[in-house]
Amino acid sequence: MRNIKLIIEYDGKSFNGWQKQPNKLNIQGEIEKAIGEITGEEIDLIASGRTDAGVHSLGQTANFKTNSNIPIEKFPIAINSKLKKSIVVKSAEEVDERFHSRYSVKSKKYRYTINISQYGSAIYRDMEYHFPFNLDVQKMQEGAKYFEGEHDFKAFKASGTSSKSSVRTIFKAEVIKNEDRIYIELTGNGFLYNMVRIISGTLVDVGIGKIKPEEIKDIIESKERIRAGKTLPARGLCLVEVKY
Amino acid sequence: MRNIKLIIEYDGKSFNGWQKQPNKLNIQGEIEKAIGEITGEEIDLIASGRTDAGVHSLGQTANFKTNSNIPIEKFPIAINSKLKKSIVVKSAEEVDERFHSRYSVKSKKYRYTINISQYGSAIYRDMEYHFPFNLDVQKMQEGAKYFEGEHDFKAFKASGTSSKSSVRTIFKAEVIKNEDRIYIELTGNGFLYNMVRIISGTLVDVGIGKIKPEEIKDIIESKERIRAGKTLPARGLCLVEVKY
């Protein structure tokens, strides 16, 4: 069987998240249905990871097995023609049969966008979190550095969620300011449930002076969710890129 | 009476344009209603100009007269609290009684956004025109220069629309490329109906080689709508700024 890898952009506000679930519009289900219509097969689409309702993607990656002999370069346009405009397959590539969108991940990059203008944006309101307060970007940048490296991120995962290990490596943690917007960009080998949104909430606490940058180290070591910041809203989050 | 000037951002896709009209959601009507609720008066809001259904604004300017004694700095938050999130009043300023949002305009700046990537964007689909072809940006830049200056733009207004004169001055016409996006930015003392969208369509024709840059001069002089390019879709257009 052929193994096809897709790169997918989507507008998170239009869906109840990536994962297939009955009676709720979801991205996985929509794409599986679209590919099914084209290939005549029942498709099982494996993503690099789920994204929650409201979370956007510029680079979600997913793969599926097929016996179809549709030329690889025809896949994006064929699938897109069956999809709502809120999902766009940006590329299709034939990959080794052992390739697995989740298990083969080398790194994932997420971006969290904060709009600090006084009244927020009408046009971009579903793509950012409006927080109309002064944030000390330099302090946020200092704080972000403490997240880099291999750590047990137990303090930065949604409480009550289980996963075998909460040890992850963040390769790069950046805070970038551009006019009225602050972008928190995290690249790592994997992220726990809500981890990017909790790290972003913690960096906002650093930005308003509630937490000192160097306290991040203690919070990580405490492994206590209660010591970290709030989980920021889903709409500010975007999965930018997945590398293999 | 006090004369209040507002700067307004809106998401054009949510409305049937700026202008008040019965039974159709429109921006003017929504803001007049919001201000009316706050001041208890019947409000007549005058904009720098109408925008069509689907056209966005980062800097629409409008003014209204009021006897209310609400402090000027309270207006944006008070009005925004009554508005849908697709409209945001970004500032309010008390101006001379003779100030008129339309008649006092010195210059207006519009931006038209074209996405030239193969499959377009899911997230930004309502804020740009998807045109998946190679565009020669340098030629478009050369062509744009011919629009600068005072000209009779009769060839670049929607046919069938009347206006006293079709002479306008474009102070600056720029074409900017940033990765998969091309921005056409026009600043002028005023624009005819559909003028920015027709100029953009004509510059796309230059970009694909259908029209030579220097032919723009002849098209302007011909005053014939049929010689100019297509009217590009409203969703790519944004009113960026109005100066007085």
Side-chain angles (χ1 to χ4, degrees):
Chain A
M1 279 186 107
R2 298 165 77 194
N3 191 7
I4 313 280
K5 172 191 166 198
L6 305 176
I7 297 179
I8 306 156
E9 176 175 338
Y10 48 80
D11 169 14
K13 77 163 180 300
S14 308
F15 301 95
N16 292 287
W18 171 269
Q19 202 182 11
K20 204 156 53 170
Q21 43 186 325
N23 305 322
K24 283 190 169 180
L25 196 62
N26 61 83
I27 301 144
Q28 181 184 5
E30 291 298 303
I31 305 176
E32 288 184 351
K33 197 170 64 182
I35 303 173
E37 287 177 33
I38 292 160
T39 61
E41 301 167 329
E42 197 162 315
I43 294 298
D44 192 15
L45 190 65
I46 301 161
S48 71
R50 304 169 193 170
T51 53
D52 281 342
V55 175
H56 309 286
S57 160
L58 285 167
Q60 173 69 289
T61 303
N63 71 297
F64 64 97
K65 304 283 175 77
T66 180
N67 284 314
S68 151
N69 52 15
I70 296 170
I72 188 68
E73 69 277 11
K74 299 287 184 201
F75 267 108
I77 203 153
I79 303 171
N80 288 335
S81 74
K82 304 286 183 189
L83 286 171
K84 297 171 198 300
K85 288 185 188 301
S86 42
I87 307 176
V88 171
V89 173
K90 295 161 88 172
S91 78
E93 186 191 346
E94 202 145 353
V95 287
D96 188 276
E97 59 170 351
R98 287 163 305 184
F99 175 89
H100 186 287
S101 291
R102 188 161 75 251
Y103 302 145
S104 312
V105 170
K106 285 264 189 333
S107 79
K108 293 171 91 166
K109 180 179 177 176
Y110 278 98
R111 178 183 299 136
Y112 198 90
T113 303
I114 302 168
N115 182 325
I116 58 166
S117 71
Q118 200 169 2
Y119 305 110
S121 168
I123 300 177
Y124 300 99
R125 69 192 183 281
D126 292 316
M127 301 148 197
E128 56 191 27
Y129 168 53
H130 180 220
F131 187 78
F133 301 96
N134 244 334
L135 292 176
D136 186 327
V137 174
Q138 207 185 315
K139 288 227 164 85
M140 291 172 77
Q141 287 164 339
E142 279 175 49
K145 289 297 146 202
Y146 291 96
F147 289 111
E148 294 184 350
E150 185 183 89
H151 303 285
D152 185 336
F153 285 100
K154 202 175 167 201
F156 299 88
K157 73 169 194 181
S159 56
T161 59
S162 64
S163 52
K164 284 170 204 151
S165 159
S166 44
V167 175
R168 296 289 185 278
T169 301
I170 292 185
F171 304 121
K172 204 169 181 183
E174 286 188 298
V175 180
I176 300 149
K177 185 169 192 284
N178 183 13
E179 295 179 1
D180 278 342
R181 290 183 173 86
I182 290 173
Y183 304 97
I184 296 170
E185 297 193 348
L186 303 177
T187 307
N189 66 353
F191 293 90
L192 302 164
Y193 190 58
N194 279 357
M195 179 168 153
V196 180
R197 290 161 59 187
I198 298 170
I199 288 180
S200 298
T202 308
L203 286 173
V204 164
D205 282 348
V206 171
I208 58 172
K210 189 175 160 192
I211 295 177
K212 289 199 187 81
E214 58 272 24
E215 283 179 61
I216 299 282
K217 194 170 178 290
D218 304 333
I219 298 172
I220 295 173
E221 283 171 5
S222 77
K223 298 180 195 170
E224 289 174 30
R225 171 68 188 89
I226 202 170
R227 302 243 348 238
K230 273 192 292 198
T231 307
L232 297 190
R235 64 180 173 279
L237 187 60
C238 182
L239 172 55
V240 176
E241 195 183 10
V242 186
K243 285 190 176 170
Y244 293 91
Chain B
M1 281 186 105
R2 297 165 79 195
N3 191 7
I4 313 279
K5 173 190 166 199
L6 305 176
I7 296 177
I8 307 156
E9 177 175 337
Y10 47 81
D11 170 15
K13 76 161 182 299
S14 307
F15 300 95
N16 292 287
W18 171 269
Q19 202 183 12
K20 204 156 53 170
Q21 43 186 327
N23 305 320
K24 284 191 168 178
L25 196 62
N26 61 84
I27 300 145
Q28 182 185 2
E30 291 299 304
I31 305 175
E32 287 184 351
K33 198 170 62 184
I35 302 173
E37 287 176 34
I38 292 160
T39 61
E41 300 166 327
E42 195 162 317
I43 293 299
D44 191 15
L45 191 64
I46 301 160
S48 71
R50 305 170 192 169
T51 53
D52 281 341
V55 175
H56 309 286
S57 161
L58 285 167
Q60 173 68 289
T61 303
N63 71 296
F64 65 96
K65 304 283 176 77
T66 180
N67 284 315
S68 151
N69 53 15
I70 297 171
I72 188 68
E73 68 276 11
K74 299 287 184 200
F75 267 108
I77 203 152
I79 303 173
N80 288 335
S81 75
K82 304 286 183 188
L83 287 172
K84 298 170 198 299
K85 289 186 187 301
S86 41
I87 306 176
V88 172
V89 172
K90 296 162 86 172
S91 78
E93 187 191 344
E94 202 146 351
V95 287
D96 188 276
E97 59 170 350
R98 286 162 306 183
F99 175 88
H100 186 286
S101 290
R102 188 160 79 254
Y103 302 145
S104 313
V105 170
K106 285 263 190 333
S107 79
K108 294 171 90 168
K109 181 180 176 177
Y110 278 97
R111 179 183 297 135
Y112 198 92
T113 304
I114 303 168
N115 182 323
I116 58 166
S117 72
Q118 200 168 3
Y119 304 111
S121 167
I123 300 177
Y124 301 98
R125 68 192 183 282
D126 293 315
M127 300 147 199
E128 56 192 26
Y129 167 54
H130 180 221
F131 187 77
F133 301 96
N134 244 332
L135 291 176
D136 186 326
V137 174
Q138 207 185 317
K139 288 228 164 86
M140 291 171 77
Q141 287 164 338
E142 280 175 48
K145 289 297 146 201
Y146 291 96
F147 289 111
E148 295 184 348
E150 185 184 88
H151 302 285
D152 185 336
F153 284 101
K154 201 175 168 200
F156 298 89
K157 73 170 194 181
S159 55
T161 57
S162 65
S163 54
K164 284 172 206 151
S165 159
S166 44
V167 175
R168 296 290 185 277
T169 300
I170 292 186
F171 304 122
K172 205 170 181 184
E174 286 189 299
V175 179
I176 300 149
K177 188 171 190 283
N178 183 13
E179 294 180 1
D180 279 342
R181 289 184 175 88
I182 291 174
Y183 304 98
I184 296 169
E185 298 193 347
L186 303 178
T187 305
N189 65 354
F191 293 90
L192 302 164
Y193 190 58
N194 279 357
M195 180 169 153
V196 180
R197 291 160 61 187
I198 299 171
I199 288 180
S200 298
T202 308
L203 286 172
V204 163
D205 282 348
V206 171
I208 59 172
K210 190 175 159 193
I211 294 177
K212 289 199 187 81
E214 59 271 24
E215 283 180 61
I216 299 281
K217 196 171 176 290
D218 303 335
I219 298 172
I220 295 173
E221 285 172 4
S222 78
K223 299 180 194 170
E224 289 176 28
R225 170 69 188 88
I226 202 169
R227 300 238 359 231
K230 273 192 292 196
T231 306
L232 297 190
R235 64 180 172 279
L237 186 61
C238 183
L239 172 55
V240 175
E241 194 182 10
V242 186
K243 285 191 177 166
Y244 293 92

